[in-house]
Amino acid sequence: MSSWRTTARWGYSGPYDEVFLARDLDEALYCLAEEAVRGLDATVVGQARLMDRIDPAWGRDLRAGGPGGEDPAPPCGRDPLEGFAWIARSWREQSPYTHLAFYRGENVSAEGIALLHGADPAHVAAGTRLSDLTDMTGADRGHWNTDWRSCCFGQAGDWAFLLYHDLPPAVRGGGAALAGMAVTESVLLSACSAKAIYTLDLMRDGHRVDDDGIMELIHYDRGRTPYVRGGRLDFLNRAIRRAELDHPEVTDEFALYFHALETSLGLRLPQRDLREGTVRAALWAPGDGA
């Protein structure tokens, strides 16, 4: 029994397909039970129901997300869909916008980010709201009638966010421009529902954080490690694993992923402001090709 307490054991069927990870007998039992659940029901909904029947004590230490000696984190204890994950479902259909971009650094402002990417200075100066630009009366179940020539922006925590469909051809944004604004970290989530392509781009200090190229969220499979264990994105592996264990009732894997982005990076968006159209917004500036 002592070997279970001192040695982490894991196995792979590929670089992203971790099928076993345990430090002690309870963790091994949890992993084996979870693997049995995957075999008993191929649907995420069915698996979530069966997961409730596994002894939660078996998985408590896995809340740390890996064998690195981290202390187990306490259960989340809140509705994950009240955080960043609330937008995951509509974003998959490119609503309200195709791209969700976040920027942070010392003295980074949402207005500056919007102007850098081509927002009309007149709209930014006037404090224009999304409801001023679009017909919000057509909103239904989280879908907005947003203009493809518009963007919305604001501050959420220590991130400035910018939401848009397409940037104007003459956009002034770019790596050098962002560095000039002292942006030290950025996150871009992009959706293309027609092709079922959903990607994540993370930049820190001007360098892309990844292991082997573009990161497609569609490759995430509940119960499997989406990124290389021990790689530069292993912090997301741990956050996703914790989200799965904290919220077995959540059957939308994109919502679980977004919840993990919130807990690991602090991403968030103002749900009420976006739904009611009170979030700051602008059309692209005339002459920028909009």
Side-chain angles (χ1 to χ4, degrees), residues 44-45 48 79-81 85 222 243-244 246-257 259:
V44 174
V45 173
D79 182 353
L81 300 184
R222 185 179 182 131
E244 293 173 345
D246 281 342
H247 305 289
E249 77 285 358
V250 177
T251 57
D252 184 338
E253 292 173 352
F254 278 79
L256 282 173
Y257 195 106
H259 184 55

Side-chain angles (χ1 to χ4, degrees), residues 91 98-100 164 188-192 197-201 217:
W91 170 78
T98 299
H99 303 288
L100 313 180
Y164 57 90
L188 176 63
L189 290 155
S190 299
C192 180
I197 296 176
Y198 307 93
T199 59
L200 165 71
D201 285 279
L217 275 62

Side-chain angles (χ1 to χ4, degrees), residues 63-276:
R63 293 186 191 283
E70 307 93 336
D71 292 331
C76 177
R78 63 183 178 84
D79 182 353
L81 300 184
E82 289 301 313
F84 185 49
W86 71 268
I87 202 169
R89 185 180 296 275
S90 66
W91 170 78
R92 288 179 64 181
E93 301 301 323
Q94 298 178 236
S95 176
Y97 286 99
T98 299
H99 303 288
L100 313 180
F102 301 84
Y103 305 88
R104 66 180 171 185
E106 189 175 357
N107 298 322
V108 172
S109 71
E111 291 85 356
I113 289 293
L115 290 170
L116 182 70
H117 287 83
D120 190 331
H123 288 159
V124 174
T128 302
R129 305 290 173 176
L130 185 60
S131 58
D132 298 327
L133 301 179
T134 62
D135 176 15
M136 301 300 294
T137 61
D140 180 32
R141 296 183 180 180
H143 290 266
W144 294 260
N145 180 24
T146 47
D147 196 307
W148 280 67
R149 299 169 299 137
S150 72
C151 67
C152 68
F153 58 93
Q155 196 79 26
D158 57 352
W159 292 93
F161 65 83
L162 179 72
L163 278 53
Y164 57 90
H165 285 302
D166 281 322
L167 292 174
V171 66
R172 295 179 292 277
L178 291 173
M181 290 189 63
V183 171
T184 57
E185 190 170 11
S186 65
V187 178
L188 176 63
L189 290 155
S190 299
C192 180
S193 57
K195 297 181 179 179
I197 296 176
Y198 307 93
T199 59
L200 165 71
D201 285 279
L202 172 60
M203 299 284 292
R204 285 179 178 156
D205 297 320
H207 300 285
R208 199 162 185 267
V209 180
D210 66 1
D211 294 309
D212 60 356
I214 194 167
M215 295 174 283
E216 288 195 39
L217 275 62
I218 200 70
H219 287 167
Y220 167 58
D221 184 13
R222 185 179 182 131
R224 298 290 192 257
T225 302
Y227 303 115
V228 174
R229 174 64 66 181
R232 302 179 71 193
L233 294 166
D234 199 24
F235 73 94
L236 272 177
N237 289 333
R238 296 192 296 272
I240 290 170
R241 186 59 168 152
R242 180 184 173 189
E244 293 173 345
L245 293 168
D246 281 342
H247 305 289
E249 77 285 358
V250 177
T251 57
D252 184 338
E253 292 173 352
F254 278 79
L256 282 173
Y257 195 106
F258 273 44
H259 184 55
L261 289 173
E262 179 186 6
T263 58
S264 61
L265 293 172
L267 298 187
R268 64 182 78 167
L269 285 172
Q271 181 175 2
R272 182 174 180 178
D273 289 350
L274 275 163
R275 290 194 181 279
E276 295 182 358

Side-chain angles (χ1 to χ4, degrees), residues 5-21:
R5 301 293 176 182
T6 59
T7 304
R9 304 174 185 274
W10 59 91
Y12 306 89
S13 61
Y16 305 101
D17 199 359
E18 186 176 273
V19 296
F20 184 76
L21 172 63

Side-chain angles (χ1 to χ4, degrees), residues 43-61:
T43 68
V44 174
V45 173
Q47 289 173 13
R49 294 193 185 112
L50 290 171
M51 287 282 287
D52 286 338
R53 300 170 63 181
I54 301 176
D55 186 343
W58 291 354
R60 64 181 180 273
D61 290 341

